[in-house]
Amino acid sequence: MQEENKIQELLSMDDPPEALLASVADVDQLKADLIEARERLIQLNDLEDGLKSIKSANNPDFEPFKHMAIMLGVGDEPPPKQARGPKKVKGTKSAPRQPFLTFVSKDGIEIRVGR
């Protein structure tokens, strides 16, 4: 609706700037896309409603819904896995832990305390 108002405003101008004309979306194409999306939604809802009552793929009522699902591009296979990114670069190894803590007294004597 807002785009239609912009179009009407531009058409009322004597000499509209090219930049404004280029910035307005194609309303007819947007309406056609909306109608197509609504039709697809109706078909998907019909497919969902039909498949609710079917418990097995061996059911003879499943066949028309199978063709409808193929036509709509709906499948039951999981989406493809994403490619793994590059491995993280490991940092340098730290020195091994010592089995004691070292303290220094006021007199400069080293005191080792075990864990």
Side-chain angles (χ1 to χ4, degrees):
M1 195 62 148
Q2 190 177 16
E3 290 292 323
E4 289 177 349
N5 293 339
K6 284 183 184 179
I7 291 173
Q8 292 301 325
E9 184 180 319
L10 289 174
L11 291 175
S12 66
M13 292 181 183
D14 291 334
D15 188 24
E18 279 296 318
L20 286 178
L21 288 174
S23 68
V24 177
D26 185 9
V27 176
D28 295 331
Q29 181 63 38
L30 291 175
K31 286 181 182 179
D33 291 345
L34 179 62
I35 291 170
E36 185 178 316
R38 284 183 179 164
E39 289 173 358
R40 179 170 167 78
L41 178 63
I42 290 169
Q43 290 175 341
L44 288 171
N45 286 336
D46 291 343
L47 177 65
E48 180 185 18
D49 292 339
L51 290 176
K52 281 183 181 177
S53 64
I54 297 175
K55 302 293 180 193
S56 171
N58 297 332
N59 190 334
D61 296 335
F62 177 71
E63 206 54 39
F65 294 113
K66 178 181 172 183
H67 294 297
M68 183 186 283
I70 292 171
M71 182 186 73
L72 292 172
V74 179
D76 64 346
E77 58 188 46
K81 290 185 178 181
Q82 292 183 347
R84 292 184 61 144
K87 290 188 175 184
K88 292 182 181 179
V89 178
K90 294 183 179 180
T92 59
K93 285 189 172 184
S94 60
R97 291 182 16 178
Q98 294 183 345
F100 53 84
L101 296 173
T102 305
F103 298 96
V104 179
S105 68
K106 287 184 181 179
D107 299 331
I109 301 171
E110 186 177 287
I111 303 170
R112 295 183 180 177
V113 179
R115 293 185 182 190

